[in-house]
Amino acid sequence: MPSVLRRLLALTVLATSAFAASAPPNIVVFLVDDMGVMDTSLPFLTDEAGRAKKYPLNEYYRTPNMERLAARGIRFNQFNAMSVCSPTRISIMTGQNAARHRTTNWINPDKDNAGPNGAPDWNWSGLKKGNVTLAALLRQSGFRTIHVGKGHFGPRALEGSDPSNLGFDINVGGASIGAPGSYFGTQNFGLGGKRSSSAVPHLAKYHGRDIHLSDALTLEAKDHVAAAVRDRKPFFLYFAHYAVHAPFESDPRFAPHYANSGKPPQAQAFATLVEGMDKSLGDLLDHLDALGVADNTLVIFLGDNGSDAPLGHEHAVASSAPLRGRKGSHYEGGMRVPFIAAWAKPTAANPNQQRLPIPTGAIQTQLATVPDLFPTILAAAGASAPRGHAVDGQRLDTLLAGKRDTGRSDTFLMHYPHAPHRSDYWTSFRDGSWKVVYHYFPTAASENSHYQLFDLARDPYEQTNLATSRPAELKRMMQGLTAALEKHGAVYPVDPTSRAPLKPKLP
């Protein structure tokens, strides 16, 4: 080889190495719709010693790639999302609790779904062009921002329905819809069918093909990630699967795995959607490896609310067993979700991994919540929120390192001033192991009381209401709940007659 060519090759290698050493990390948020903490073969719940403990539902589901990702990083046994989808998604994008951004319900694409006595001034419009968002801030910092999958950030007629108005360079599949018209390419993902208004957009090239929606979205994600790598651009991939949301259409590739389970047909179909989502995760991890960027890519995996597995009553120990409740309910099964954070390829020599070390195969038992993603991801990317933008989330760096963060506020506010859903018109507040639920309109579902009080340290499955037997603790927790609502500027349900806002009553 001529000496000039050798020098050019050496300079190219040096330049590439220098870029890799100085480049910010790529970031993937892998968000699964309606996936609760028990919808996986990977155990998240722990015993008294903090060790992972398997339950029967963990034996039912098959998620080997979630196991693979967890082996490369850390999983949390107490990670809380909002109990329905749009509030969580906007909390990820803004770093704010839903009580502050006021999108406190899922967004019906075509009509205001506050509910009969719901807060009339809630934020049905969702996100708007010009809002501070995680995607916009990362784009300003030089990232290519890629949205693949479900958006559900705003109604159909408004600008928030299109993620490209919210800071994303690329949008594939994102719209106002909360569920796909169909999971099947042979049915054009719903276009032209009975659920045509919920057809997944931007996937015409797959129409008529024998391909599952989760796979089509994965192919799109892989293509756009590869393009960013070719262009030597750091990327932020927000990969929000429509799976495992209803309709529970069985994926025939995985159906034999559950045929003899004894579970109802819809529950079997739900499990096939879980396994198909897991295949997508594995395909993406393989792709990052093949592109040579796995060591510089931070992957964050989570669900957007508690499980919607069709396995029993929404307030029973069923869909999320041993936890009580289901998506939309006020129990832990309605808001506890799987959370894994890992470098796609752990490499101690990588500078970004040195700045944000994540132990492998670890479990974190301290409480964390969805708004925490916003400041954590911005810090990892070397970016920050503008002055004046309220951020409720707290950085997760210490927790991701496998340590306890004594400076954290171990609280979580979940505010749902709406109906109808699995639970109607309620607010819950966690403070350490204590949890209080306030019901604005008491019913049999609330034990005909405004108040439910649980000590999750002794009663993790919420079987014993202590509201009557622990009055001092109830008062303390309700004071915390009301203070948190006021701090966030929350909106409230209204009196059926006077239409005046109904604020929680202290006991």
Side-chain angles (χ1 to χ4, degrees), residues 364-402:
Q364 175 59 258
T365 60
Q366 193 170 357
L367 178 67
T369 71
V370 283
D372 296 337
L373 268 63
F374 180 89
T376 303
I377 291 172
L378 286 180
S384 58
R387 184 174 298 176
H389 176 72
V391 177
D392 297 314
Q394 305 168 81
R395 281 177 59 175
L396 294 171
D397 302 45
T398 302
L399 271 60
L400 293 179

Side-chain angles (χ1 to χ4, degrees), residues 218-233:
T218 305
L219 291 173
E220 292 296 302
K222 289 168 61 176
D223 284 350
H224 287 293
V225 164
V229 172
R230 282 196 303 271
D231 295 341
R232 298 176 69 183
K233 292 276 290 183

